[in-house]
Amino acid sequence: MTGNALPSNPTGPRSSGAPSGAASGAPSGFGRLDPAIAARLKRDADGLVPAIAQQYDTGEVLMLGWMDDEALHRTLTTGRCTYWSRSRREYWVKGDTSGHVQHVKSVALDCDADTLLVKVDQVGAACHTGDRTCFDADVLPLAK
């Protein structure tokens, strides 16, 4: 990973119920996001950054997920996308239950440091509905 590529925050999303480091029982073996990267991130009020998953070879936009520092750290160190589920209030690794894995090819931070672009090799559907992407089922009409 180079340039704007990123490594995780042990505190989890603020006010969202995420684990906060060793005191919360976070899994051993996970570490901290590189402090230099953590210092650059601009998070929302819950400590989260949107992460856009894109197919690395076609440019197809697959989905949007949310990462805190720990999810980003896990993504960078395992090569599998880890997200924070705002509804379930827990970390989830894409594909662990569905088999629709995202193998990470690169991670970049946008110019404002408030959005991640995760280029992946998507196995199967990216959307929880079973569609290839989360953006192909409801295309809105444009005014002519």
Side-chain angles (χ1 to χ4, degrees), residues 30-66:
F30 287 104
R32 287 177 25 123
L33 182 63
D34 179 322
I37 294 168
R40 294 172 57 201
L41 290 175
K42 293 181 185 163
R43 301 161 190 83
D44 71 6
D46 291 325
L48 299 170
V49 176
I52 301 164
Q54 180 182 42
Q55 179 63 33
Y56 82 100
D57 54 353
T58 66
E60 179 180 35
V61 176
L62 301 169
M63 60 172 279
L64 174 90
W66 295 90

Side-chain angles (χ1 to χ4, degrees), residues 51-56 58-64 102 117-118 120 122 126-127 131-136:
I52 301 164
Q54 180 182 42
Q55 179 63 33
Y56 82 100
T58 66
E60 179 180 35
V61 176
L62 301 169
M63 60 172 279
L64 174 90
Q102 291 177 340
L117 177 62
V118 186
V120 301
Q122 176 71 49
C127 187
D131 286 339
R132 169 73 180 161
T133 85
C134 292
F135 298 102
D136 57 357

Side-chain angles (χ1 to χ4, degrees), residues 9-130:
N9 176 3
T11 60
R14 290 184 286 277
S15 73
S16 63
S20 52
S24 70
S28 62
F30 287 104
R32 287 177 25 123
L33 182 63
D34 179 322
I37 294 168
R40 294 172 57 201
L41 290 175
K42 293 181 185 163
R43 301 161 190 83
D44 71 6
D46 291 325
L48 299 170
V49 176
I52 301 164
Q54 180 182 42
Q55 179 63 33
Y56 82 100
D57 54 353
T58 66
E60 179 180 35
V61 176
L62 301 169
M63 60 172 279
L64 174 90
W66 295 90
M67 292 185 183
D68 68 349
D69 291 18
E70 180 63 28
L72 179 55
H73 173 73
R74 293 179 189 190
T75 297
L76 291 168
T77 58
T78 67
R80 299 259 321 271
C81 282
T82 301
Y83 298 100
W84 174 255
S85 172
R86 296 177 301 165
S87 60
R88 293 189 314 260
R89 302 170 69 106
E90 65 185 14
Y91 295 107
W92 57 282
V93 179
K94 182 69 175 164
D96 271 2
T97 54
S98 67
H100 299 165
V101 177
Q102 291 177 340
H103 298 285
V104 177
K105 298 294 187 176
S106 68
V107 180
L109 184 60
D110 79 333
C111 59
D112 294 322
D114 63 0
T115 304
L116 298 164
L117 177 62
V118 186
K119 293 189 179 184
V120 301
D121 188 9
Q122 176 71 49
V123 176
C127 187
H128 70 280
T129 64

